[in-house]
Amino acid sequence: MKTNFLFPYKWKVVSGILFTLSFACLCLLFFFDKADFEFRANVFAIIGQKDLGNNIFFSVIEDSITDEILMLFLIPSGIIFAFSKEKQEDEMVASIRLHSLAWATIANYGILLFCYMFIFGLPFLNVLMGAMFSQLIIFIILFRYKMYHFNTSRQDEE
């Protein structure tokens, strides 16, 4: 089966390591004191905020860029890891990939609907930040789990 949209298998290891490290660092950043783990820099902002409620447009501001750097590693490496070819890429793997993607989408939007109903105010910004990569993480977990079961059942048949 020809799958042009998948990345080469050899990229899977490096992207998996980058994805795991950036996700772990993002969790540390989120759950612990940000001051110990923060890089500050002057950045160009299309829309920024100097004071609470005081928006500025198209200017350079000083801000923490730690979460932006981690997201720049997390999202591309997660996409490459999730959508790299397997060693044995066939129709069954493509079917598992499709079903995992469909269930990850359903689960992600179910979680988002739950959060829309029960989380309000500024904490909801954390929900939106997590929504940027939660579907990717759910997909990777589901796909790896189903591939593990597929590979173990295939070995049992031999």
Side-chain angles (χ1 to χ4, degrees):
M1 181 172 142
K2 189 167 175 83
T3 51
N4 291 332
F5 60 89
L6 296 176
F7 295 101
Y9 174 75
K10 62 184 176 183
W11 294 6
K12 186 179 272 306
V13 174
V14 174
S15 63
I17 292 169
L18 279 174
F19 176 72
T20 305
L21 289 175
S22 57
F23 181 69
C25 289
L26 199 63
C27 288
L28 288 173
L29 179 69
F30 182 73
F31 290 114
F32 295 107
D33 186 20
K34 292 182 180 185
D36 297 336
F37 192 66
E38 186 176 74
F39 301 109
R40 296 192 71 78
N42 289 330
V43 294
F44 175 75
I46 294 174
I47 301 173
Q49 196 173 45
K50 283 201 177 209
D51 302 324
L52 195 61
N54 188 11
N55 292 337
I56 55 174
F57 302 94
F58 299 102
S59 63
V60 176
I61 62 170
E62 183 183 349
D63 195 29
S64 172
I65 59 168
T66 310
D67 53 344
E68 285 87 357
I69 291 171
L70 290 173
M71 283 294 195
L72 282 173
F73 282 103
L74 179 80
I75 293 173
S77 64
I79 289 171
I80 293 169
F81 180 68
F83 297 104
S84 291
K85 291 180 182 176
E86 296 297 309
K87 269 188 179 180
Q88 299 295 323
E89 190 73 33
D90 59 6
E91 286 84 11
M92 187 62 184
V93 174
S95 175
I96 292 171
R97 190 183 309 275
L98 178 64
H99 285 95
S100 298
L101 188 58
W103 278 107
T105 304
I106 292 166
N108 185 54
Y109 281 103
I111 292 167
L112 281 175
L113 283 173
F114 178 83
C115 292
Y116 267 110
M117 292 186 308
F118 297 110
I119 298 176
F120 302 98
L122 286 177
F124 190 71
L125 290 176
N126 293 327
V127 170
L128 293 178
M129 188 173 118
M132 287 190 292
F133 57 85
S134 60
Q135 182 173 2
L136 192 57
I137 290 174
I138 294 168
F139 169 73
I140 289 171
I141 291 168
L142 282 173
F143 181 65
R144 291 283 115 215
Y145 176 75
K146 289 181 178 184
M147 283 302 297
Y148 172 77
H149 278 287
F150 173 66
N151 289 330
T152 56
S153 68
R154 190 165 58 175
Q155 289 174 356
D156 291 341
E157 292 174 1
E158 294 173 0

